Amino acid sequence: MRPTPTTSRYLTRAALIVVCSLVWPHAAGATPAAEQGFDYRDFSAKVDEIDRKLSNLRRAVDRTRFDPEAWLDSLDYDADTIRQAVAGQIAFQPYDGVLRGVEGALKARAGNSADQALLLAFLMRSAGYDARIVRGELTERDATRLLASMRASSGDAPLEALARAATAVVGTANPPPGPIADLGATTLARRADRVSGILLKTLAAADADLSPADVTDELVAATTRYFWVQHRAGPGEEWQDAHPAFDDAETPEVAPLEFFAERLPDEYLHRLTISAWLEQKLGDETTTHRLMDDY
């Protein structure tokens, strides 16, 4: 059974009173609290004041920004509303494999088609619908069209309301800003300039091409492997396709190749390769020694 906010508030208040009642009277030996001038009424009033401010802070926190269940509550458990919310509020970003998952995609307000599908399927199942994740291969046309529809994420939403509530808890406004430091005059900045200069000279000596690279082909390849969601009200109902990556745009021409119940296999996870080697230069000859196999 999950405790309600009211229950949590009273438990917090009771815990504060019990702890202080046990600790404070013994801080100066066995002297009674009344002889120390400790006012329980005043203490209780202060606890109530802190509790009131914490309640204001809790109300100011928008849990739909990071809690999938809170977001689902705000969507009224309606399939169309859920689909439109994921399509409209979770921006598509091209990368290969599952990287953020359900909560990560919600917090970042962005994800590739796999992370978008994981979030949408979780919300659908939590709302009581049958849902499954589908994998297919986009045509080059649809992959290019999806890349062209990318938009900025809203993951860095303003936090003014939370800042105001936090100020109410602290009881004081933020201090006035101090003088702006000249970062360019710091030792760290000078060291960074020196190191970057060395790196640029080394790369130039190795004839490294530092001009901007065209990564369109790589992005199209990462986008071609595509995931979406099928959902239905219950057994015997028709499966409905939901393509959150395409938002309200024309749905892609893609055939199902695989179906997944709740999670994607490890082969579809985002991968990072770690390598380590040592280069030894003797005269004009350079020898490379591998320190470990690729991990």
Side-chain angles (χ1 to χ4, degrees):
M1 177 179 174
R2 180 181 299 178
T4 63
T6 301
T7 303
S8 300
R9 182 168 64 252
Y10 284 126
L11 288 176
T12 302
R13 183 175 183 275
L16 283 172
I17 294 175
V18 170
V19 170
C20 293
S21 298
L22 291 175
V23 176
W24 287 7
H26 297 283
T31 307
E35 295 182 15
Q36 297 181 43
F38 182 77
D39 188 340
Y40 279 99
R41 290 185 178 180
D42 179 64
F43 171 71
S44 180
K46 291 179 179 178
V47 170
D48 287 338
E49 177 66 12
I50 293 175
D51 181 66
R52 182 186 64 78
K53 292 180 178 180
L54 288 175
S55 297
N56 292 336
L57 181 58
R58 279 192 292 266
R59 284 193 294 269
V61 174
D62 183 5
R63 298 188 63 84
T64 65
R65 301 293 307 182
F66 58 87
D67 185 346
E69 294 183 358
W71 195 31
L72 181 60
D73 288 340
S74 71
L75 302 176
D76 296 328
Y77 296 81
D78 178 71
D80 287 339
T81 305
I82 294 171
R83 177 187 57 78
Q84 293 171 4
V86 175
Q89 299 184 39
I90 308 299
F92 172 79
Q93 292 182 347
Y95 52 84
D96 192 24
V98 176
L99 177 63
R100 291 174 173 148
V102 173
E103 293 187 356
L106 177 59
K107 293 174 183 176
R109 280 300 196 270
N112 65 355
S113 64
D115 283 327
Q116 288 177 317
L118 283 169
L119 175 57
L120 177 57
F122 172 83
L123 293 173
M124 287 292 187
R125 284 192 297 271
S126 299
Y129 300 94
D130 291 337
R132 62 187 184 185
I133 300 174
V134 192
R135 183 187 73 82
E137 298 290 330
L138 290 179
T139 64
E140 183 176 351
R141 170 186 175 274
D142 283 331
T144 303
R145 184 163 59 91
L146 180 54
L147 287 173
S149 70
M150 285 191 302
R151 64 182 190 276
S153 164
S154 61
D156 52 350
L159 298 177
E160 287 83 357
L162 180 58
R164 288 194 298 270
T167 299
V169 172
V170 176
T172 57
N174 293 329
I180 299 177
D182 183 5
L183 298 180
T186 63
T187 302
L188 179 61
R190 291 192 294 270
R191 184 182 303 169
D193 289 340
R194 185 169 63 253
V195 172
S196 62
I198 294 173
L199 290 175
L200 289 173
K201 289 180 180 179
T202 303
L203 292 171
D207 295 328
D209 184 7
L210 301 181
S211 59
D214 185 357
V215 295
T216 302
D217 292 340
E218 288 83 351
L219 290 177
V220 170
T223 306
T224 299
R225 185 158 62 183
Y226 174 72
F227 298 85
W228 73 98
V229 172
Q230 289 183 343
H231 62 90
R232 63 183 182 181
E237 299 288 338
E238 290 287 336
W239 288 101
Q240 304 294 322
D241 289 309
H243 295 272
F246 281 85
D247 198 356
D248 292 330
E250 175 190 352
T251 56
E253 297 179 2
V254 56
L257 298 178
E258 291 182 282
F259 298 92
F260 308 100
E262 293 188 9
R263 63 183 301 272
L264 297 179
D266 291 347
E267 63 184 287
Y268 295 128
L269 298 181
H270 188 83
R271 295 182 180 275
L272 172 68
T273 301
I274 300 176
S275 304
W277 65 91
L278 176 68
E279 289 188 351
Q280 180 183 28
K281 187 173 184 180
L282 298 175
D284 294 332
E285 184 176 347
T286 300
T287 305
T288 300
H289 305 277
R290 293 190 63 83
L291 301 180
M292 59 177 284
D293 294 332
D294 288 346
Y295 175 77

